[in-house]
Amino acid sequence: MKKLLLPILCAVVLFSCRKLDQPITRDYTDAAYWRTADDALAALASCYENLSDDSYYFGDEALSDNGFVNGIGYKAVSTIAAGAYDPSNQRLTEEWKYRFTCIRKCNIVTTNIDRVPAMDSTLKHRILAEARFIRAYAYFQLVSWFGDVPFYTNLITIDESKSISRTDKNQVLDFVQSELTAIRPDLPVNNYTGANGGYQEKDKGRITRGAAIALSARVHMFKSEWQGAINDCELLINSSNNGTYALQNNYSNIFTTANEYNSEVIFDIQYGGGRTHGSQRNFLPQTVALLRSTLVPTQDLVDDYIMLNGKGIKEAGSGYNENDPYTNRDPRFNATILHDGSTITDFDGKVQTILTKPGSNPATNSVDDQGASPTGYYFYKYYDRTATNYSSGLNLIVIRYADVLLMYAEAKNELSQLDAGVWNQTIRALRARAGFNDAGALEFPGVAQDALRTIVRRERRAELAFEGVRAQDIRRWKIADQVMSKPVRGIKVSGGSFRKDANGYIIVEDRTFINPKHYLWPVPTFERDQNTNLGQNQDW
């Protein structure tokens, strides 16, 4: 699908060779469209275009305590993270516009597809299901950031858009949930054979039944509906009727172009062909990507990676040595983050050793340099060496099977049902895949629910770091006001003019997160100027 996306989108605009029975016109008209199944597919491709992009995907990491954006990049997320924003902020203004543009595109498909004459019924229902999924996803994103939002499934007029009020978020989420359930029978599974309702090879990248189920589980988690999440997860864990999913053997290989569409991927944003993203130039060391490093990991994220024996770095018996902090750590740490002494093969095939401590020689990637990471760390996951001129065609994974296992473990624990059997299916399986072999990390710890909650949340953070989920996790857990009201910290240094905490760690920036104000973004100023019926969220 990624290879066909751009040509299909162009076809929406150009559609040059048309049937003779269409109206004679030099301009695009609604009457000249919806003549063939290809018209419907092209309109659907436009919906896919608005699922998400790299600025949202990677920028969301800096809306959490995992990441930091140095400057105003990624649509000014740094001001949101710092708690220094207002309703005119670029990210929240564009988020609103981007999602409602997507919703309108989907409504165009659902409203007009019946106009295509003699359309194959199976294809028609599949297109409708895909459009409804994308619309549901857009509404879920809007509600998660803004709470109550305008809600409609028809093609409203400009005048209507200037008077519509917001719908209660719970009603919108109920709609999202009902849509994701209703469309499942019309979506193929991910076997890519064309048999038994599965996609053919050429359809890779389209929405599948598994994606609808997994997103439904995520919505249940957002609403703290634990049994609903368990039920959805079990449809993917215990049955192959909804798709065949499994953990990959190698954690790092998941995020490579050579291994796209692997058995772990359930739902991803399509790139390739004419659509690429250049975010890696902002998160790699400047000696690799030849650009300032502005999207970087935090010390708090680094500190949350456990030791090989399964203990947190502050736990007794962990073996953690502050003077040798990167030894015997969770293998996913080195697969996700570059630190002082890490090596990386650059685009020219040369192996570079990354030095981040002040006074390093050369100092290009150290915290001393203005173009280097201010925390002394760099993201490594999603580095694509196959990129042409640094522009990657690598798909960005929204939900993978590991996430399903983590949601299942979390929901089970919230109902006091996380036992050794569930542990072995989920946390143990993930850690074994990552490379842990110490019994302390693999065996069920048999601790109380609160302690298990800490373990599960830490596991989720390590497994899914730099995949854009942490910002929503800390909000649904209601801990954002705790973790986002701390300074952004970098590596421990001695001497120099750096601002440091009492333990010698660099303080990059102070942050503030006010409860309840910052748990929801304000309705953008521009939208309220156009529509006085939108109102505003609490304390804004």
Side-chain angles (χ1 to χ4, degrees):
M1 179 186 174
K2 63 195 294 185
K3 296 178 180 177
L4 296 175
L5 186 58
L6 183 64
I8 291 174
L9 290 174
C10 292
V12 176
V13 181
L14 301 177
F15 56 89
S16 54
C17 298
R18 303 307 304 270
K19 293 183 178 181
L20 295 178
D21 61 351
Q22 293 177 358
I24 299 173
T25 175
R26 293 179 181 272
D27 301 312
Y28 170 82
T29 66
D30 188 56
Y33 208 69
W34 303 104
R35 296 291 176 143
T36 68
D38 286 343
D39 289 345
L41 286 167
L44 177 64
S46 185
C47 301
Y48 272 94
E49 184 186 26
N50 268 75
L51 260 175
S52 188
D53 66 23
D54 63 308
S55 65
Y56 295 101
Y57 186 89
F58 292 119
D60 282 358
E61 202 71 10
L63 292 170
S64 78
D65 51 343
N66 277 1
F68 170 71
V69 167
N70 187 18
I72 60 173
Y74 292 91
K75 306 181 189 298
V77 294
S78 58
T79 57
I80 298 178
Y85 62 111
D86 61 31
S88 65
N89 174 270
Q90 182 185 7
R91 169 60 195 272
L92 65 88
T93 299
E94 293 197 12
E95 178 85 27
W96 183 284
K97 177 181 177 181
Y98 187 83
R99 301 302 175 187
F100 277 112
T101 297
C102 180
I103 288 165
R104 181 169 182 82
K105 288 180 176 182
C106 294
N107 289 344
I108 288 173
V109 173
T110 59
T111 301
N112 289 290
I113 197 169
D114 283 337
R115 294 168 54 190
V116 179
M119 188 174 181
D120 176 78
S121 177
T122 301
L123 177 60
K124 174 183 174 180
H125 284 92
R126 191 196 84 182
I127 291 173
L128 277 170
E130 292 178 56
R132 290 166 69 185
F133 175 99
I134 296 169
R135 181 175 62 189
Y137 180 72
Y139 270 123
F140 179 47
Q141 292 297 308
L142 282 167
V143 166
S144 65
W145 294 122
F146 296 100
D148 301 346
V149 293
F151 172 71
Y152 52 92
T153 58
N154 60 325
L155 292 173
I156 64 174
T157 65
I158 293 177
D159 287 340
E160 288 172 327
S161 71
K162 292 181 177 181
S163 61
I164 191 171
S165 59
R166 291 192 289 163
T167 298
D168 181 85
K169 62 182 180 181
N170 292 313
Q171 183 178 335
V172 180
L173 288 175
D174 287 345
F175 167 80
V176 169
Q177 205 79 67
S178 65
E179 284 285 271
L180 294 174
T181 300
I183 64 178
R184 293 176 191 178
D186 296 323
L187 290 170
V189 296
N190 68 333
N191 61 21
Y192 303 120
T193 64
N196 300 318
Y199 279 152
Q200 297 179 17
E201 186 78 14
K202 65 181 179 64
D203 289 318
K204 283 184 176 181
R206 292 190 178 278
I207 303 301
T208 61
R209 190 181 307 166
I213 294 170
L215 182 58
S216 176
R218 185 173 281 185
V219 176
H220 279 306
M221 297 295 289
F222 182 80
K223 298 164 69 178
S224 299
E225 296 175 348
W226 310 120
Q227 190 58 53
I230 289 170
N231 294 342
D232 281 336
C233 290
E234 287 181 343
L235 290 175
L236 298 176
I237 295 173
N238 298 332
S239 173
S240 61
N241 293 332
N242 302 304
T244 304
Y245 300 101
L247 296 178
Q248 291 287 286
N249 292 329
N250 184 292
Y251 181 78
S252 297
N253 285 352
I254 300 169
F255 312 98
T256 61
T257 54
N259 202 29
E260 286 183 325
Y261 309 112
N262 61 71
S263 61
E264 190 163 337
V265 176
I266 298 177
F267 169 34
D268 58 357
I269 306 301
Q270 299 298 296
Y271 282 89
R275 189 187 190 197
T276 59
H277 55 84
S279 280
Q280 61 183 359
R281 296 204 72 182
N282 299 313
F283 64 73
L284 290 171
Q286 59 182 343
T287 57
V288 177
L290 306 183
L291 202 66
R292 290 174 62 93
S293 305
T294 56
L295 173 57
V296 299
T298 65
Q299 183 68 47
D300 282 0
L301 171 59
V302 172
D303 286 350
D304 232 8
Y305 283 94
I306 60 176
M307 304 297 288
L308 286 176
N309 60 12
K311 295 181 179 293
I313 64 172
K314 295 180 180 179
E315 292 183 57
S318 71
Y320 176 71
N321 181 354
E322 195 172 26
N323 296 317
D324 186 19
Y326 313 127
T327 298
N328 295 327
R329 301 294 292 275
D330 183 336
R332 290 168 295 191
F333 168 56
N334 282 316
T336 305
I337 294 173
L338 297 171
H339 54 80
D340 185 68
S342 292
T343 58
I344 180 174
T345 303
D346 63 24
F347 289 98
D348 295 324
K350 178 184 176 182
V351 177
Q352 294 190 21
T353 298
I354 305 303
L355 302 175
T356 72
K357 292 181 179 179
S360 297
N361 185 20
T364 314
N365 294 318
S366 77
V367 288
D368 307 84
D369 194 280
Q370 289 186 341
S373 166
T375 66
Y377 298 105
Y378 300 87
F379 282 116
Y380 183 48
K381 185 189 286 188
Y382 276 113
Y383 170 38
D384 177 17
R385 280 192 60 215
T386 70
T388 302
N389 195 27
Y390 308 102
S391 294
S392 174
L394 180 60
N395 294 342
L396 303 178
I397 303 170
V398 179
I399 306 178
R400 53 188 175 92
Y401 188 61
D403 193 352
V404 172
L405 296 180
L406 288 164
M407 289 191 287
Y408 189 60
E410 181 182 338
K412 280 287 192 178
N413 187 57
E414 294 303 323
L415 296 182
S416 300
Q417 298 173 4
L418 178 50
D419 56 18
V422 174
W423 173 275
N424 290 341
Q425 267 188 307
T426 58
I427 308 301
R428 180 189 177 106
L430 291 168
R431 289 184 175 180
R433 186 270 295 276
F436 286 90
N437 53 35
D438 190 298
L442 297 177
E443 299 304 318
F444 181 59
V447 294
Q449 184 188 39
D450 284 348
L452 281 174
R453 182 180 293 117
T454 298
I455 292 171
V456 170
R457 290 183 177 182
R458 180 180 284 163
E459 187 72 16
R460 182 171 179 84
R461 188 179 192 182
E463 176 72 27
L464 301 177
F466 208 45
E467 295 180 50
V469 301
R470 176 72 175 175
Q472 291 301 341
D473 281 347
I474 61 176
R475 283 164 171 76
R476 67 181 178 86
W477 292 332
K478 299 303 179 186
I479 64 170
D481 55 305
Q482 302 168 37
V483 302
M484 294 299 290
S485 291
K486 299 177 180 179
V488 176
R489 296 184 307 137
I491 59 175
K492 186 175 183 177
V493 298
S494 58
S497 58
F498 299 98
R499 182 184 170 208
K500 293 170 284 191
D501 67 12
N503 296 311
Y505 290 90
I506 296 172
I507 295 178
V508 178
E509 180 184 72
D510 292 316
R511 284 176 168 176
T512 299
F513 194 104
I514 301 171
N515 182 13
K517 178 180 180 179
H518 289 146
Y519 274 100
L520 290 177
W521 289 351
V523 179
T525 300
F526 175 81
E527 303 300 334
R528 296 186 70 228
D529 287 345
Q530 303 299 310
N531 180 1
T532 58
N533 289 333
L534 290 176
Q536 188 54 281
N537 285 327
Q538 182 179 349
D539 298 332
W540 287 102

